[in-house]
Amino acid sequence: MAVKSQDKGNHVSNPTKRIRWATQRVTGANERHIRQSIKDRFQHRKAGSTDKKRQSGEAPHLEGIDEEEIEAAELVDGLDPTGRRIYFNIPLPDSAKDAEGHPLAHYERNKIRTAKYTPLSFVPKNLWFQFHNVANIYFLFVILLGIYWIFGNPNPALSSVPLIVILFLTAVKDGIEDWRRTVLDNELNNAPTHRLVDWNNVNTSEDSISMWRRFKKATTHAIISTYHLWSSKRKNKSAEGKTYTERALDESRPSVETRQSHRASMLSVESEVSDNGIKMTPVPSPQPESRKQLGGAERLTVNDRPLTSFSFEGGDGGQQPNGHGAAPKSTGQERSQAPGKLYGSIIDPFNQVPGKARFKKEYWKSIQVGDFVKIYNEDQIPADIVVLATSESDGQCYVETKNLDGETNLKVRQALHCARKLKHAKDCERASFEIESEPPNPNLYQYSAAARWTQRDVQVPEDPGTEMAEPISINNLLLRGCSLRNTEWVLGVVVYTGRETKIMLNAGITPSKRSRIARDLNWYVVYNFAILFLMCLVSGIVQGVTWAESQTSSDFFEFGSIGGSPPLDGFITFWSCVILFQNLVPISLYISVELIRLAQAFFIYSDTFMYYDRIDYPCTPKSWNISDDLGQIEYVFSDKTGTLTQNVMEFKKCTINGVPYGEAYTEAQAGMQRRQGIDVEAEGAKVHKQIAQDRVRMLQDLRKMHANPYLHDDELTFVAPDFVMDLRGTSGAGQKSANEEFMLALALCHTVITERTPGDPPKLDFKAQSPDEAALVATARDCGFTVMGRSNDGIILNVLGQEREFTVLNTLEFNSTRKRMSAIIRMPSGKIVLYCKGADSVIYSRLRPGEQSQLRRDTGEHLEMFAREGLRTLCIACKELDEEEYQVWNKEHDLAAAAITGREDKLEAVSDAIERDLTLLGGTAIEDRLQDGVPDAIALLGDAGIKLWVLTGDKVETAINIGFSCNLLNNDMDLIVFKIEDGKISSAEMELDKHLEAFGLSGSDEELQIARKDHRAPSATHAIVIDGDSLKLVLQDELRQKFLLLCKQCKSVLCCRVSPSQKAAVVRMVKNGLDVMTLSVGDGANDVAMIQEADVGVGIAGEEGRQAVMSSDYAIGQFRFLQRLILVHGRWSYRRLAETIANFFYKNIVWTFALFWYQIYNNFDVTYLFDYTYILLYNLAFTSLPVIFMGILDQDVSDKVSLAVPQLYRRGIERREWTSLKFWTYMLDGIYQSVICYYMGHLLFAPATFNTENGLNINDRSRVGVFIACATIVVVNIYVMINMYRWDWLFLLLTAISILLIWFWTGVYTAFPSAAYFYKAAPQVFGQLSFWVMVLLTTAVCLLPRFAAKAFQKLYRPRDIDIIREQVSQGKFQHLDQYEAYVPPAKLPSATSSEVSEPPKPNQRGGKTLADDERPMYPPSVAATGTTHNPRSQNGSDGTEYTGHRMSHSLEQPPRPSFDRPRPSYDRMRDSMDRIRPSFEASHDFTSAALLTRLESSHSGTPTRRTLHGTSSLR
């Protein structure tokens, strides 16, 4: 709406309002200050400022001040002073220009660079990043020390080789990753869009490109051109479209996801850009293929609108004079009461323009703030753009935000009312206005700005005009990265570009994660530094003291020291030892670990048994550095909808006017019968046969009643022949009318977009904001109430063969606080009806008090039964409005919609006022089936010792039944339903103390310390179910520890009605409180918080888009793949990496201490025992391959055995593979072996009898070093092999190569005279029998203790893995060979006699069992998200997420003879519920129908009745 300061007319809004509340905005301090200053100003001039007031006089007042005056003043006074003003065809004011007349404001370029490097900056910048690693700095320091000869480095240049290799390999890896980002950046920056050219954008000035920038650009273009020349042949051969690999490798950050442009490539884009433009563009979007062939100057013709639109432009593209569009003629008298609103127009009729402006294809990177751009259907949005006009006459457009927030549903955006007449380029030239916008911020779901212009009267040219303004919200903003859908074109102006766009401000929000081993590794490296320091210190002190002594042999054989004094000699020796013992700090360990993790990520990605062929998606690692954490997971936190379930909604049942309809046999119902000992397979076959017969009958009856061309037999999910009979009037006119009204509510109360697929018959597809909403509209279609599409301001329905148009006056959409949705409809008869759908507790609390008592009881009982079957329920209600009531409310609604500050709160308040005194129509039940293999996967994870918690927004009843279906709960458990009625912390503490006492606990710190050390799985005797309101209490600091200890004693925990922040808080509580490894798995945007909070986040690529996937560490297609990811790859990765790191430290200790022992016999003068090349190549070549391939390929048991014996995973939960004891054991073992390796050679040469046949001896230092070095390398490599579980030909070959490499190097290196004193050392040493005997003896003596310890452990102290490996060798797991990939077969639960015949268990929580009408109800719906950007939670058919509509006209309560007809599903479920209630639910206060029947509305003018504990029944 536009607000002007001098307007005496009475205005009513345009009929169609679509307002979305995305987040609950908290008014900031600046806004409160501005608003208060405005109010203070009005207090002083209230009496004399009537010329500034509008004359409607019907708006509510605030402290005596006209609210409309405040809103107008807010528009005039502006927004945040740190925001921006953008001018269009208006000269910049002097305050916005510098001395040279250039704009003071400088905005970001639209060119995006997510790559870290440029060709010129790669080397220095990459080195800068690499030297953030302390180990690299250490080795650089060692190399610099070696430059000075006084420190005794024999070859400083050669000593730099290891570091250079490490830096080079890391740089290559970083370069490949960054090159891919650069290519994607260039493709996106060079994507085409249509920009208005040949007009003056006063907001920016042409950039002056410096010579340095030109040089950088030239260098980049040269390298890119070279790359494209090299890869052109490969690109030509590649198949069209994305390959399997490309589809799988989604980038992990939103900023990268948006780079998937719809354009083919950078080269093809460049060829598209021409110098010509499109001057007149009131055009539909050409198809992408045809647009590529269009010349720039070719005109495009106007075609008919798509069949999904039903809207055609008028001559001026504006609203019809009455502001309502095509209204029924019969309602002309009523329409006359609602005159049209004057919105004004930003087009200045007196603005003289040259008419040269045109739209031209340009690159995205050329877009600037203040540009006019035109976006066509299927195009991506190049920047954040305010919508001025669209191809739709009502100003609507539809965008897909998958790249932005991961959602695949379409969202509606609106053009500004004042700009909808813009069609041509010349209109853009004539438009004179400015936009005052808030500063850039990362909030994706909120935006505040205002458009201001001077409204000129064509009839009065001399009139200076009236200042007008129109608010701009997120509903008028297209965000960069979104895609335009179902709209021919959109014309808009750019407000944010480049790094200031909202998607770029949100880039990189996923926190970086480090594995637990990586965190521990730093400490062990520090320990090695400490050992190195002690070794160097001892060497320096001993050397200094030795040189200080007199009367020694050194007086005769030495010619003085380097330092000249003992202290200085000791100091030099200290730093010389740093060089000598440098291998103690393993520089190659870091790069080796990275290579191992890279290989592990590749194995995970390549596992075809985790490939989901339905969506062509493998398991995709997003974070490569935490694979070992997968082997230590103790707690898994899972969402329910879309994670455990398929999130493919099927409408199964409903209750209308107290009559239940629908036949279904759900998994939850089967689980309930299984607990009763019923053979569910036989029962299921019987029921499915009956449903199939009823389905055939229903289809026949539907076609007899109406030949519906849009009814497809295979898509019918609602099987209810009796519904069709009642719709035909079999049960009377009252029930027939109720059924028709119910289906009308489903067909009218939604935001679904219709897409028609041509054919005979045609097919209608519904694009909805959630799968639930599409299921509701699809069921209405199947029953003859078909949504054909939308007109200018309404919906066109085919009602049993007759097309009718219903005008949508307002749509009050869902948000997490409202938990309901409403649509205000003007019926063809002219009456106004409000339809509302939402959570049962929300709708019941808003019903007209004192009416429909029997209907409430019946509907509540039916909804309870539906929930027990695992169905997602919601209520449908309505209310009839008279014209005067609606017009008064609509003015309030317009004011709230026009507010810039606090708009969401005001809209919520005004919506709440109309959604009262509703009339109940009925309820719906939708099934979201479990995914394949979920029960088996959960059971398998439980056997592994992993605890699974479910965090969901669903109703308590639904969650409990799903818990039984997927093996989380069983009938032997005592279910603790934790609900605090009065909402007091003291009550929650008393409840916690009571339950803790049953376990003998008090919640003390000592008990928490014991719990942190106890990793055993709790016994399957207890489970907790808690709702969101109670969870908020127990997460308080004073209660969190007690709640955590209580949950630690329970096998399963189900948190219902929880928000995203509560999900993250629960994960944080467990992760930090118990010091355990956690994993979160989810599929929707509302799961991102807990995915990021957990140690490992797993996203499921399901129906809710890709935000969970983008924010996750691993992405999978189905929940069942989690078992293989954790139990196979996770366990392997953890064990491999732990063993690799331990062996790495061991081999460095052996080598370094062998050098240290030699120093004892030369007074620590830092003489090198080994040739310096040995020291450099030890970690780089001689011992690197075996230990690296241990981390890549070692395997204790196969994947099939890992799944068959999940208990093997528990060693990872207990963190036994990598402990301090293991580290120090390997270190001590290394020290022992270093002693043997050195002293075997030392003692061999002690007699000094090593003369060769030519008379020369070989007892010099370098040749003795060959003896010791070769023996040491043999020992180390065989030691690593002993620690390997899997000996295959590849590993044996690698071990042999590593051992023989030192022989090869010694032979080659000493064959040339350049080896100096080392010349001919190889034949001289290797020709001695003593050498081979010493190597053999040294190997045996070194490895004997390790071999003996392993033999003793495996024989007398076998671990689980040792027993299983022995059984494998005995052939006890050969039966697994018949499976391609072992997935344990479904366990058919056997009903024990106790489950069938034992009497009901007493209430273990004390107290008597309440009657049905006295039991407390679980709290009303708490939505799964705090915003509307989650499609599933927007239209919550899980019973928590739909917003209600009200209709005050009452339905006649007819007799229901249809109850006498057989209703198999209803009777079956009722019978099951009656039998199970005494044994389970009754003992746990499990029912909601009782309270629903007593629920009165606190919003209907009468006090709300209190529950047993005295709290409001609507929370």
Side-chain angles (χ1 to χ4, degrees), residues 791-833:
S791 61
N792 288 349
D793 54 5
I795 296 178
I796 297 177
L797 297 186
N798 185 307
V799 180
L800 300 177
Q802 299 180 0
E803 282 203 2
R804 304 179 189 174
E805 182 175 354
F806 298 80
T807 303
V808 181
L809 301 177
N810 302 84
T811 299
L812 312 177
E813 297 194 22
F814 169 85
N815 77 350
S816 59
T817 303
R818 289 164 38 77
K819 293 172 286 187
R820 60 193 182 277
M821 171 189 176
S822 298
I824 302 177
I825 307 294
R826 188 181 294 277
M827 310 298 282
S829 62
K831 69 179 181 180
I832 301 176
V833 179

Side-chain angles (χ1 to χ4, degrees), residues 142 205 320 405 479 534 723 732 816 963 1042 1188 1281 1295 1387:
V142 170
S205 57
Q320 297 192 14
D405 58 13
L479 301 183
L534 290 176
F723 170 81
S816 59
K1042 291 184 177 181
I1188 289 176
M1281 188 171 66
T1295 303
K1387 300 178 181 179

Side-chain angles (χ1 to χ4, degrees), residues 593-642:
V593 169
E594 289 298 318
L595 292 175
I596 291 170
R597 285 173 170 156
L598 175 62
Q600 291 169 349
F602 175 76
F603 292 152
I604 291 173
Y605 171 72
S606 302
D607 191 340
T608 57
F609 300 119
M610 292 192 293
Y611 170 72
Y612 189 37
D613 55 355
R614 179 178 174 183
I615 59 174
D616 189 20
Y617 204 89
C619 178
T620 306
K622 305 286 185 175
S623 299
W624 294 359
N625 61 336
I626 59 173
S627 57
D628 45 292
D629 279 352
L630 287 171
Q632 307 169 69
I633 300 300
E634 184 171 352
Y635 283 84
V636 172
F637 300 90
S638 173
D639 180 37
K640 185 186 79 67
T641 304

Side-chain angles (χ1 to χ4, degrees), residues 956 977-989 991 1026-1027 1029-1031 1033-1034 1405 1410 1414-1420 1484-1488 1491 1494-1495 1505-1515:
V956 174
V977 181
F978 202 93
K979 174 173 173 55
I980 309 302
E981 295 287 349
D982 57 9
K984 295 181 179 179
I985 294 182
S986 58
S987 301
E989 186 171 14
E991 190 75 9
I1026 185 170
D1027 69 323
D1029 292 336
S1030 302
L1031 186 64
L1033 298 175
V1034 298
R1405 288 180 291 154
L1410 300 177
E1414 296 179 347
R1415 294 187 205 140
M1417 170 201 167
Y1418 295 104
H1484 296 286
D1485 303 334
F1486 181 80
T1487 182
S1488 62
L1491 189 63
R1494 306 196 306 273
L1495 198 60
R1505 295 179 59 180
R1506 300 291 181 180
T1507 60
L1508 293 176
H1509 295 274
T1511 59
S1512 172
S1513 53
L1514 177 65
R1515 302 178 72 83

